[in-house]
Amino acid sequence: MSLPNDLRNELSQRLPGRVTWSSAALHAYRQDLWPRLQIRKRFDLSTAPEPLAVVQVTDEADVEVAVQVARAHGVAIIPYGAGSGVVGGTIAVRPSILLDLKRMARLVELDERAHVARVEAGKLGQELETELRARGFTLGHYPSSIHCSTVGGYAATRSAGQFSSRYGKFEDMVEGLRVYTPAEGWLEIDRAADEAAGTALLDAFVGSEGTLGILTRVDVRVHPAPAEEAYRGLAFPTLEDGWAAMRDLLQAGLKPSVLRLYDPFDSIVALKHSFHGDTPGADVDPLSLGALLSPLKDLADGVFGDVQRKALKRVLRHPGVTNRLIEKALKRCALILGFEGPKGQPAADMSRALALAGRYGAEDHGEGPGWHWLSRRHAVSFKQAPIYHLGGFVDTMEVATSWTSLPQLYQAIRDAVGPHVFLMAHFSHAYADGCSIYFTFAGLRDQVHDALALYDTVWEVGPSAALGAGGTFGHHHGVGLLKRAFLPREVENGAPLFARLKATFDPEGLLNPGKLWGTP
Amino acid sequence: MTKPPVNRPHDDLVTRAGVPSRYSTDGRLVLIPGDEPGLARALAALVEAGLPLRLVGIDPDDGPAVSLASFSRVTGVRATDAVAIVEPGTPWSTFEAALAETAFECPVFPAADPAALVLAVAAGRVPVRAFNPFGPRAEWVRDLRLVTPQGTVVRSPYSPRRATGPELRLPALALGAAWGVSTSLTVRVVPRSPREERVLALPDAGAAFDLLERLGASGDEASFLAEAHVTPKGSRVRIVWRHLALREPPDDLWRAEDTATWEPPSVEPFVAVRVPWGDATRAWLAGLSKPRRKPSALSGLRLWGPDRQGITAELAGFADLGAAAAAGVLPGDLAERVARLAPLRARLTMGGPA
């Protein structure tokens, strides 16, 4: 559907200089980084319906006007940050105006005494962190998308960063919100008033994925920038040993900034060069597995010539065999452990952590692996392109559960997804009572419809297996279009509760329709 | 069973709910469901009658109410996950006694009434105190089952955190019974650990404020409980240090002052408000702790739970926030901020789930 003239005229008049409907803009804004759309793009298929127009709001008055105009013309509004989502959370399912918030990007205020920063929702994560660091503070939120994701997006999707075991997930950081809702207008919600009033609105709006209101400002907890950091690489005899060490560490009250355990194969792909001597993966029998694994290791190393391309295709065409062999042959796994904080504390905490980890057979490989990981922690995202060039795809599935159910969850996903795609996992968001599993998977088919069918199969059996094993299907990527079919099983009988929120704040269904429990 | 009064205006409710019931001495009907279907029927009967959903021991004592007496067991402690599963009608003291038989304890406790029901504590209906950083409800109420008036059970697979939409269960708790009543809560517990306790005598509220702010700024360790009793004649600060994180208390803190004695303030109604660090809060606290010429409704001031953002102030002598607001003792514009949100609570609870 193209932009109706009367809507175009009213947008132009009331929001001059902030509206675009150029084909280039609509083409760019119509999609996020959902890998299913990347597959379609790779095969030159259209990715997603275009929005009618994009409004690049500069202040709250613009937000209000845009919603008024949308309501008057019966079109939907989709709040949009930096488009780094991977679940299709901003895809228009009916005629919509996209509200790009990136021009609302000020660090409004930093209360250095109460350690709270007031930030406009369109602020990019890295820009915020840079400004905070310049003033001696840190947010402590480092998603791998930090350069291309916004504070509003973090709140809307319950994002998690790589240092979550010290600073928490984004919902743990939120102290307040300013939000515009079609029915109630502007709401200013702070934790103290929210608790005193008995409303729990912060819990309702955080994670609402643009369906209940438009977040324009977020108050977040900040921390003194760390004076020191300490890193270590540890190797464990088995995954179970690594899990037990992580659990003990957190239940003892230690708060590592980084606590990342890699399953045996991910240990090799992610960290093989940084561990010395008896590295994780050194127990691989080169005769049985070496040939199979070398293309994936080469990919990890950035070596990608014709030989590697052919070899990689071979591996990705037979994921079941590859996964089973790896499972049988590899046992040892690597953990990156980091602490940061005031002078003296990281080193002291590290020595306590090493003592605890030693109970589970941890071998200390020194500081190198940790610093290596830190310096290359965003590199993995740039290793996906070669697989797309082959006609394949890469995606991630972030599930979570209690420590009790973790082994079952890990195995359930491997059993369900492993026959279809090549997969590996790491465990990088851990809590005293449980842990998330971050599966990375890659698949390959020559024909686009086969590739899409394979992709859809994985996203059918994976979340289903997670729920069946007693876990959640989503730890920090949000729901979007990708996972919404599983919501009734994730929050059984939760739809009427969401409907009450929707009826209160957006009764006409203007905001991001077709997401969460909302109707298109 | 209390003898029913002659006038039993709500017998139709009993019939509709089909659950055991009794009348209290003041003629109040209490429905006593024994299981989840019965609870759903009881809630539905109240909704059909156009009556507010009230729970015994949690909501005000007027009108028909539902008792959670049949939901009062501690059903398990999952040591691997450091959580306990407890039913909502369990008195907190019973919960703590059950935990005492394990290697765990709950770092959260009712500030005034140890007999408060677990659900009242979890729903924020009675003020709680907690070891840092267990203050926010989301940090220690990790999971729950919710029975709705429509007879459905809202539940999710257990996960420490999730990104699957809004956290619907916490609003459900906060909004009272309108969205449903929890029949089982999963609560964070921590390994029992050695403790050290010090009480420091300080000359005034300002000094106590400084000390607590310094403690809060030291980090977000799960290691301490700090509280101050502030009086016009001086302040006492009590710090309980748990050796949970294998870390010793900071030497400079322990050596800073002489050890004094701690006399717990008498238990009386109070309202608790969270206030940020800053000069405005400091001035507000100083004003409250000054000797007063006229008798004040504020009968005591206590501070606890410092973290990097602020501290909780307990204003004794007030039954609810409205009374504290009327007396003009709330900080800054908190009363206005709460007043702006309060109508939303009414709209969200009206009619229950849509």
Side-chain angles (χ1 to χ4, degrees), chain B residues 319-354:
Chain B
D320 56 47
L321 207 68
V329 296
L330 293 183
D333 63 351
L334 178 64
E336 290 80 23
R337 284 163 22 226
V338 172
R340 282 197 292 269
L341 295 180
L344 288 173
R345 181 182 164 86
R347 284 202 272 288
L348 285 166
T349 54
M350 197 186 316

mmCIF file of all heavy atoms in Angstrom, chain B residues 319-354:
data_model
loop_
_atom_site.group_PDB
_atom_site.id
_atom_site.type_symbol
_atom_site.label_atom_id
_atom_site.label_comp_id
_atom_site.label_asym_id
_atom_site.label_seq_id
_atom_site.Cartn_x
_atom_site.Cartn_y
_atom_site.Cartn_z
ATOM 1 N N ALA B 319 -0.560 4.860 58.784
ATOM 2 C CA ALA B 319 -1.100 3.579 58.326
ATOM 3 C C ALA B 319 -0.947 3.418 56.825
ATOM 4 O O ALA B 319 -0.864 2.316 56.319
ATOM 5 C CB ALA B 319 -2.572 3.474 58.709
ATOM 6 N N ASP B 320 -0.940 4.528 56.105
ATOM 7 C CA ASP B 320 -0.806 4.421 54.654
ATOM 8 C C ASP B 320 -0.190 5.697 54.092
ATOM 9 O O ASP B 320 0.007 6.687 54.807
ATOM 10 C CB ASP B 320 -2.154 4.121 53.991
ATOM 11 C CG ASP B 320 -3.213 5.151 54.355
ATOM 12 O OD1 ASP B 320 -2.907 6.353 54.284
ATOM 13 O OD2 ASP B 320 -4.332 4.742 54.717
ATOM 14 N N LEU B 321 0.075 5.615 52.799
ATOM 15 C CA LEU B 321 0.762 6.724 52.133
ATOM 16 C C LEU B 321 -0.081 8.005 52.171
ATOM 17 O O LEU B 321 0.450 9.111 52.314
ATOM 18 C CB LEU B 321 1.036 6.326 50.679
ATOM 19 C CG LEU B 321 2.230 6.977 50.011
ATOM 20 C CD1 LEU B 321 3.535 6.505 50.615
ATOM 21 C CD2 LEU B 321 2.219 6.700 48.516
ATOM 22 N N GLY B 322 -1.385 7.832 52.061
ATOM 23 C CA GLY B 322 -2.267 8.992 52.069
ATOM 24 C C GLY B 322 -2.144 9.772 53.376
ATOM 25 O O GLY B 322 -2.100 11.007 53.372
ATOM 26 N N ALA B 323 -2.070 9.036 54.470
ATOM 27 C CA ALA B 323 -1.950 9.694 55.772
ATOM 28 C C ALA B 323 -0.615 10.432 55.873
ATOM 29 O O ALA B 323 -0.546 11.560 56.389
ATOM 30 C CB ALA B 323 -2.068 8.662 56.886
ATOM 31 N N ALA B 324 0.430 9.803 55.351
ATOM 32 C CA ALA B 324 1.752 10.455 55.378
ATOM 33 C C ALA B 324 1.744 11.694 54.489
ATOM 34 O O ALA B 324 2.329 12.733 54.844
ATOM 35 C CB ALA B 324 2.823 9.470 54.929
ATOM 36 N N ALA B 325 1.071 11.583 53.356
ATOM 37 C CA ALA B 325 0.993 12.740 52.454
ATOM 38 C C ALA B 325 0.230 13.879 53.114
ATOM 39 O O ALA B 325 0.631 15.053 53.043
ATOM 40 C CB ALA B 325 0.325 12.331 51.142
ATOM 41 N N ALA B 326 -0.871 13.521 53.783
ATOM 42 C CA ALA B 326 -1.681 14.554 54.439
ATOM 43 C C ALA B 326 -0.886 15.261 55.536
ATOM 44 O O ALA B 326 -1.076 16.454 55.776
ATOM 45 C CB ALA B 326 -2.936 13.915 55.012
ATOM 46 N N ALA B 327 0.006 14.520 56.169
ATOM 47 C CA ALA B 327 0.821 15.119 57.235
ATOM 48 C C ALA B 327 2.014 15.892 56.662
ATOM 49 O O ALA B 327 2.760 16.514 57.416
ATOM 50 C CB ALA B 327 1.302 14.035 58.188
ATOM 51 N N GLY B 328 2.180 15.827 55.355
ATOM 52 C CA GLY B 328 3.252 16.589 54.715
ATOM 53 C C GLY B 328 4.641 16.062 55.000
ATOM 54 O O GLY B 328 5.615 16.820 54.988
ATOM 55 N N VAL B 329 4.773 14.762 55.233
ATOM 56 C CA VAL B 329 6.093 14.229 55.568
ATOM 57 C C VAL B 329 6.744 13.472 54.410
ATOM 58 O O VAL B 329 7.857 12.974 54.561
ATOM 59 C CB VAL B 329 6.028 13.298 56.809
ATOM 60 C CG1 VAL B 329 5.594 14.082 58.037
ATOM 61 C CG2 VAL B 329 5.098 12.116 56.561
ATOM 62 N N LEU B 330 6.057 13.378 53.287
ATOM 63 C CA LEU B 330 6.665 12.646 52.164
ATOM 64 C C LEU B 330 7.731 13.511 51.486
ATOM 65 O O LEU B 330 7.634 14.735 51.469
ATOM 66 C CB LEU B 330 5.600 12.228 51.145
ATOM 67 C CG LEU B 330 4.589 11.203 51.622
ATOM 68 C CD1 LEU B 330 3.637 10.834 50.479
ATOM 69 C CD2 LEU B 330 5.271 9.942 52.144
ATOM 70 N N PRO B 331 8.721 12.874 50.908
ATOM 71 C CA PRO B 331 9.802 13.646 50.282
ATOM 72 C C PRO B 331 9.385 14.235 48.936
ATOM 73 O O PRO B 331 8.650 13.596 48.173
ATOM 74 C CB PRO B 331 10.894 12.596 50.077
ATOM 75 C CG PRO B 331 10.159 11.304 49.970
ATOM 76 C CD PRO B 331 8.950 11.422 50.831
ATOM 77 N N GLY B 332 9.885 15.422 48.657
ATOM 78 C CA GLY B 332 9.729 16.043 47.342
ATOM 79 C C GLY B 332 8.304 15.975 46.819
ATOM 80 O O GLY B 332 7.348 16.278 47.529
ATOM 81 N N ASP B 333 8.201 15.531 45.565
ATOM 82 C CA ASP B 333 6.882 15.466 44.937
ATOM 83 C C ASP B 333 6.365 14.034 44.841
ATOM 84 O O ASP B 333 5.571 13.710 43.960
ATOM 85 C CB ASP B 333 6.942 16.103 43.548
ATOM 86 C CG ASP B 333 7.886 15.349 42.614
ATOM 87 O OD1 ASP B 333 8.613 14.449 43.103
ATOM 88 O OD2 ASP B 333 7.903 15.636 41.408
ATOM 89 N N LEU B 334 6.824 13.171 45.764
ATOM 90 C CA LEU B 334 6.409 11.767 45.698
ATOM 91 C C LEU B 334 4.890 11.634 45.736
ATOM 92 O O LEU B 334 4.310 10.834 44.985
ATOM 93 C CB LEU B 334 7.050 10.961 46.835
ATOM 94 C CG LEU B 334 6.642 9.481 46.881
ATOM 95 C CD1 LEU B 334 7.121 8.744 45.638
ATOM 96 C CD2 LEU B 334 7.196 8.779 48.132
ATOM 97 N N ALA B 335 4.254 12.413 46.608
ATOM 98 C CA ALA B 335 2.785 12.298 46.725
ATOM 99 C C ALA B 335 2.122 12.582 45.375
ATOM 100 O O ALA B 335 1.191 11.867 44.969
ATOM 101 C CB ALA B 335 2.272 13.258 47.789
ATOM 102 N N GLU B 336 2.625 13.592 44.663
ATOM 103 C CA GLU B 336 2.033 13.924 43.352
ATOM 104 C C GLU B 336 2.312 12.811 42.342
ATOM 105 O O GLU B 336 1.439 12.450 41.543
ATOM 106 C CB GLU B 336 2.608 15.245 42.819
ATOM 107 C CG GLU B 336 2.159 16.491 43.571
ATOM 108 C CD GLU B 336 2.935 16.698 44.856
ATOM 109 O OE1 GLU B 336 4.067 16.174 44.962
ATOM 110 O OE2 GLU B 336 2.422 17.352 45.776
ATOM 111 N N ARG B 337 3.529 12.276 42.383
ATOM 112 C CA ARG B 337 3.867 11.214 41.428
ATOM 113 C C ARG B 337 2.995 9.984 41.647
ATOM 114 O O ARG B 337 2.525 9.347 40.699
ATOM 115 C CB ARG B 337 5.354 10.843 41.543
ATOM 116 C CG ARG B 337 6.213 11.901 40.891
ATOM 117 C CD ARG B 337 7.696 11.882 41.261
ATOM 118 N NE ARG B 337 8.283 10.691 41.764
ATOM 119 C CZ ARG B 337 9.088 10.647 42.845
ATOM 120 N NH1 ARG B 337 9.351 11.737 43.533
ATOM 121 N NH2 ARG B 337 9.618 9.521 43.243
ATOM 122 N N VAL B 338 2.767 9.653 42.897
ATOM 123 C CA VAL B 338 1.911 8.500 43.204
ATOM 124 C C VAL B 338 0.475 8.797 42.787
ATOM 125 O O VAL B 338 -0.211 7.946 42.212
ATOM 126 C CB VAL B 338 1.987 8.151 44.710
ATOM 127 C CG1 VAL B 338 0.956 7.098 45.072
ATOM 128 C CG2 VAL B 338 3.387 7.654 45.061
ATOM 129 N N ALA B 339 0.053 10.015 43.054
ATOM 130 C CA ALA B 339 -1.335 10.389 42.718
ATOM 131 C C ALA B 339 -1.580 10.293 41.210
ATOM 132 O O ALA B 339 -2.683 9.971 40.779
ATOM 133 C CB ALA B 339 -1.632 11.795 43.219
ATOM 134 N N ARG B 340 -0.543 10.569 40.434
ATOM 135 C CA ARG B 340 -0.711 10.471 38.973
ATOM 136 C C ARG B 340 -0.863 9.018 38.521
ATOM 137 O O ARG B 340 -1.519 8.730 37.532
ATOM 138 C CB ARG B 340 0.486 11.123 38.260
ATOM 139 C CG ARG B 340 0.422 12.655 38.241
ATOM 140 C CD ARG B 340 1.364 13.235 37.204
ATOM 141 N NE ARG B 340 2.758 13.043 37.542
ATOM 142 C CZ ARG B 340 3.491 13.925 38.237
ATOM 143 N NH1 ARG B 340 2.950 15.045 38.667
ATOM 144 N NH2 ARG B 340 4.756 13.684 38.497
ATOM 145 N N LEU B 341 -0.232 8.095 39.239
ATOM 146 C CA LEU B 341 -0.309 6.680 38.845
ATOM 147 C C LEU B 341 -1.543 5.977 39.416
ATOM 148 O O LEU B 341 -2.020 4.993 38.849
ATOM 149 C CB LEU B 341 0.958 5.931 39.292
ATOM 150 C CG LEU B 341 2.272 6.368 38.638
ATOM 151 C CD1 LEU B 341 3.436 5.534 39.174
ATOM 152 C CD2 LEU B 341 2.209 6.228 37.122
ATOM 153 N N ALA B 342 -2.016 6.472 40.553
ATOM 154 C CA ALA B 342 -3.093 5.763 41.259
ATOM 155 C C ALA B 342 -4.327 5.499 40.386
ATOM 156 O O ALA B 342 -4.894 4.394 40.446
ATOM 157 C CB ALA B 342 -3.461 6.521 42.528
ATOM 158 N N PRO B 343 -4.777 6.456 39.565
ATOM 159 C CA PRO B 343 -5.963 6.162 38.734
ATOM 160 C C PRO B 343 -5.723 4.992 37.770
ATOM 161 O O PRO B 343 -6.659 4.269 37.418
ATOM 162 C CB PRO B 343 -6.185 7.460 37.962
ATOM 163 C CG PRO B 343 -5.495 8.514 38.742
ATOM 164 C CD PRO B 343 -4.328 7.843 39.403
ATOM 165 N N LEU B 344 -4.465 4.828 37.363
ATOM 166 C CA LEU B 344 -4.171 3.714 36.450
ATOM 167 C C LEU B 344 -4.380 2.377 37.151
ATOM 168 O O LEU B 344 -4.809 1.402 36.540
ATOM 169 C CB LEU B 344 -2.725 3.814 35.943
ATOM 170 C CG LEU B 344 -2.468 4.935 34.946
ATOM 171 C CD1 LEU B 344 -0.991 5.059 34.650
ATOM 172 C CD2 LEU B 344 -3.252 4.673 33.674
ATOM 173 N N ARG B 345 -4.044 2.358 38.408
ATOM 174 C CA ARG B 345 -4.260 1.121 39.163
ATOM 175 C C ARG B 345 -5.740 0.747 39.123
ATOM 176 O O ARG B 345 -6.101 -0.405 38.893
ATOM 177 C CB ARG B 345 -3.789 1.311 40.612
ATOM 178 C CG ARG B 345 -3.957 0.075 41.457
ATOM 179 C CD ARG B 345 -3.530 0.313 42.894
ATOM 180 N NE ARG B 345 -4.051 -0.744 43.735
ATOM 181 C CZ ARG B 345 -3.465 -1.901 43.941
ATOM 182 N NH1 ARG B 345 -2.303 -2.148 43.388
ATOM 183 N NH2 ARG B 345 -4.015 -2.829 44.684
ATOM 184 N N ALA B 346 -6.565 1.741 39.322
ATOM 185 C CA ALA B 346 -8.011 1.472 39.294
ATOM 186 C C ALA B 346 -8.435 0.971 37.915
ATOM 187 O O ALA B 346 -9.209 0.018 37.798
ATOM 188 C CB ALA B 346 -8.771 2.739 39.666
ATOM 189 N N ARG B 347 -7.904 1.610 36.871
ATOM 190 C CA ARG B 347 -8.320 1.190 35.522
ATOM 191 C C ARG B 347 -7.792 -0.199 35.176
ATOM 192 O O ARG B 347 -8.440 -0.960 34.481
ATOM 193 C CB ARG B 347 -7.837 2.211 34.498
ATOM 194 C CG ARG B 347 -8.697 3.477 34.520
ATOM 195 C CD ARG B 347 -8.587 4.241 33.226
ATOM 196 N NE ARG B 347 -7.488 5.195 33.209
ATOM 197 C CZ ARG B 347 -7.471 6.334 33.897
ATOM 198 N NH1 ARG B 347 -8.477 6.650 34.702
ATOM 199 N NH2 ARG B 347 -6.453 7.161 33.812
ATOM 200 N N LEU B 348 -6.605 -0.508 35.654
ATOM 201 C CA LEU B 348 -6.025 -1.825 35.342
ATOM 202 C C LEU B 348 -6.737 -2.952 36.093
ATOM 203 O O LEU B 348 -6.775 -4.088 35.621
ATOM 204 C CB LEU B 348 -4.531 -1.847 35.691
ATOM 205 C CG LEU B 348 -3.632 -1.086 34.720
ATOM 206 C CD1 LEU B 348 -2.247 -0.876 35.314
ATOM 207 C CD2 LEU B 348 -3.518 -1.841 33.401
ATOM 208 N N THR B 349 -7.260 -2.635 37.256
ATOM 209 C CA THR B 349 -7.897 -3.695 38.040
ATOM 210 C C THR B 349 -9.377 -3.839 37.729
ATOM 211 O O THR B 349 -9.979 -4.860 38.038
ATOM 212 C CB THR B 349 -7.738 -3.421 39.554
ATOM 213 O OG1 THR B 349 -8.226 -2.116 39.839
ATOM 214 C CG2 THR B 349 -6.303 -3.521 39.982
ATOM 215 N N MET B 350 -9.931 -2.814 37.107
ATOM 216 C CA MET B 350 -11.371 -2.830 36.852
ATOM 217 C C MET B 350 -11.751 -4.037 35.989
ATOM 218 O O MET B 350 -11.265 -4.185 34.867
ATOM 219 C CB MET B 350 -11.739 -1.550 36.113
ATOM 220 C CG MET B 350 -13.227 -1.230 36.125
ATOM 221 S SD MET B 350 -13.537 0.206 35.072
ATOM 222 C CE MET B 350 -12.243 1.311 35.521
ATOM 223 N N GLY B 351 -12.573 -4.885 36.536
ATOM 224 C CA GLY B 351 -13.082 -6.001 35.732
ATOM 225 C C GLY B 351 -12.100 -7.147 35.541
ATOM 226 O O GLY B 351 -12.413 -8.119 34.869
ATOM 227 N N GLY B 352 -10.920 -7.018 36.122
ATOM 228 C CA GLY B 352 -9.952 -8.105 36.008
ATOM 229 C C GLY B 352 -9.411 -8.222 34.603
ATOM 230 O O GLY B 352 -9.521 -7.295 33.801
ATOM 231 N N PRO B 353 -8.842 -9.380 34.293
ATOM 232 C CA PRO B 353 -8.283 -9.564 32.952
ATOM 233 C C PRO B 353 -9.358 -9.344 31.891
ATOM 234 O O PRO B 353 -10.507 -9.736 32.075
ATOM 235 C CB PRO B 353 -7.814 -11.013 32.965
ATOM 236 C CG PRO B 353 -7.621 -11.337 34.403
ATOM 237 C CD PRO B 353 -8.635 -10.543 35.148
ATOM 238 N N ALA B 354 -8.942 -8.727 30.797
ATOM 239 C CA ALA B 354 -9.935 -8.386 29.764
ATOM 240 C C ALA B 354 -10.418 -9.635 29.052
ATOM 241 O O ALA B 354 -9.695 -10.605 28.953
ATOM 242 C CB ALA B 354 -9.321 -7.439 28.762
#
